[in-house]
């Protein structure tokens, strides 16, 4: 089965039906993919980092953990994870974060702008974009609470597999930020598979 | 100046104008107050833990830190903080979290239900309630990423002072959850002061 490719610094949206599996692949290594999920039947129900951290009782989500919605329903279950290091604290990079963190560099729409454009046909507006589940993003929290953004630990071919627990609209990017991928913009691949 | 009192397991909403200061006081100690803030001119702009953690680069927010909106504007600045231990990871307790964490105990509307009721007159619906800034809530993150909910470190009279950076609608509770306040439901006091 041939994966679909998300070109560097861009994003896509698609439907993922209950039981289908989404595999997010880092084809070259050291790249981040921001993942959003909405209830297809009512897109006001959306991925929530707060509910997920509350119910899963960890910020280091990996195989076996579930991603929850703002209405306390499970949207996705992580079935397989060859990296074990993802982030669910930070918002998608955006024009605002580029201006904030990289004032001397060219501004890009970022994952936020790419997600907004890809999700617009589903009736999802900018203000409905919460914190994404940032696949492969490496955000250690120090004992003093300080947050760092380090290059991902993912190597070429590393992947995370998520099973849909309801019919979803998914947003997915190949990240545009400088810090999150060590300054090298790369593609992201993904596969959708039916159950069984 | 006499503070207003929020009775145990309840919540309030009010306007806080640009420049005004809100002091949240734990009058008896070891209690949590969930705080939400919305742009009064457009309540789709709301407090965002992801933007705040991104820009402030810490999960341990205290004096000098700012609380940011989903549109990357500063809503509130922490001017004074006698505790230095608050949470911005976990969602307000709700009927769902009560059923999840305390299946054998009576269910309560929780901070989520109390905030929803208090904020409804401002046109704010349940799906527009994100992760609150949980004043005095003690949520250590272990080196392995595990999250614990421990009794607050606040003692009687401890307080946090926040300055409004735009005209806001504020939601504020005296928390209803068992774990977050050591099982003892207590009131929260607050003061609103004009600048100068």
């Amino acid at each position: 089965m041939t994966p679909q490719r998300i070109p560097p610094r861009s994003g896509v949206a698609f439907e993922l039906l209950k039981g289908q599996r989404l595999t997010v692949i880092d084809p070259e290594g050291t790249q981040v993919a921001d993942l959003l999920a909405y209830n297809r039947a009512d897109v006001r129900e959306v991925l929530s980092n707060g509910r997920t951290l509350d119910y899963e009782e960890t910020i280091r989500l990996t195989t076996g953990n579930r991603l929850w919605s703002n209405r306390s329903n499970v949207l996705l279950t992580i079935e397989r994870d060859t990296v074990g290091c993802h982030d669910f604290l930070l918002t998608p990079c955006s024009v605002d974060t580029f201006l904030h963190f990289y004032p001397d560099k060219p501004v890009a729409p970022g994952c936020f702008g790419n997600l907004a454009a890809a999700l617009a046909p589903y009736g999802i507006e900018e203000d409905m974009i919460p914190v994404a589940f940032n696949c492969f993003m490496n955000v250690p929290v120090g004992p003093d609470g300080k947050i760092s953004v380090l290059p991902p630990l993912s190597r070429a071919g590393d992947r995370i597999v998520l099973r849909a627990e309801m019919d979803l609209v998914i947003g997915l990017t190949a990240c545009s930020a400088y810090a999150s991928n060590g300054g090298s913009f790369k593609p992201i691949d993904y596969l959708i598979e039916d159950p069984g």
Side-chain angles (χ1 to χ4, degrees), chain A:
Chain A
M1 207 170 180
T2 311
Q4 309 266 350
R5 173 146 293 194
I6 306 174
R9 309 186 100 182
S10 71
V12 296
F14 51 85
E15 296 185 9
L16 188 73
L17 302 181
K18 182 174 177 174
Q20 286 187 321
R21 284 168 178 79
L22 170 65
T23 301
V24 181
I25 305 160
D26 182 353
E28 300 179 7
T30 323
Q31 173 59 311
V32 167
D34 284 15
L35 172 74
L36 284 176
Y38 298 80
N39 176 353
R40 193 183 67 154
D42 181 353
V43 294
R44 292 172 305 176
E45 179 166 13
V46 59
L47 194 62
S48 164
N49 70 339
R51 291 273 173 224
T52 301
L53 301 180
D54 219 343
Y55 294 136
E56 300 299 310
E57 301 181 48
T58 178
I59 64 169
R60 291 284 164 245
L61 300 153
T62 185
T63 306
N65 285 123
R66 297 157 297 174
L67 305 185
W68 295 73
S69 79
N70 57 332
R71 297 184 190 166
S72 289
N73 295 309
V74 178
L75 300 181
L76 292 155
T77 298
I78 303 176
E79 283 202 335
R80 190 171 162 228
D81 175 12
T82 66
V83 181
C85 178
H86 315 280
D87 170 64
F88 207 8
L89 297 180
L90 304 183
T91 41
C93 61
S94 66
V95 168
D96 296 308
T97 56
F98 274 83
L99 291 170
H100 182 98
F101 289 110
Y102 319 110
D104 299 330
K105 294 192 179 177
V107 168
C111 289
F112 187 87
N114 292 330
L115 286 165
L119 291 165
Y122 295 95
I124 295 162
E125 300 172 0
E126 287 195 355
D127 286 330
M128 298 163 69
I129 295 180
V131 174
F133 180 71
N134 303 307
C135 305
F136 315 127
M137 192 171 184
N138 182 9
V139 182
V141 177
D144 57 356
K146 295 284 180 208
I147 290 172
S148 328
V149 178
L150 301 180
L153 304 180
S154 48
R155 291 174 296 186
D158 269 331
R159 63 196 58 207
I160 181 169
V161 182
L162 304 110
R163 185 181 66 237
E165 304 292 359
M166 66 168 74
D167 292 351
L168 300 171
V169 174
I170 297 287
L172 190 65
T173 70
C175 183
S176 309
Y178 296 96
S180 63
N181 50 28
S184 59
F185 308 119
K186 294 170 180 171
I188 284 288
D189 289 348
Y190 68 98
L191 270 174
I192 298 173
E193 290 170 287
D194 287 324

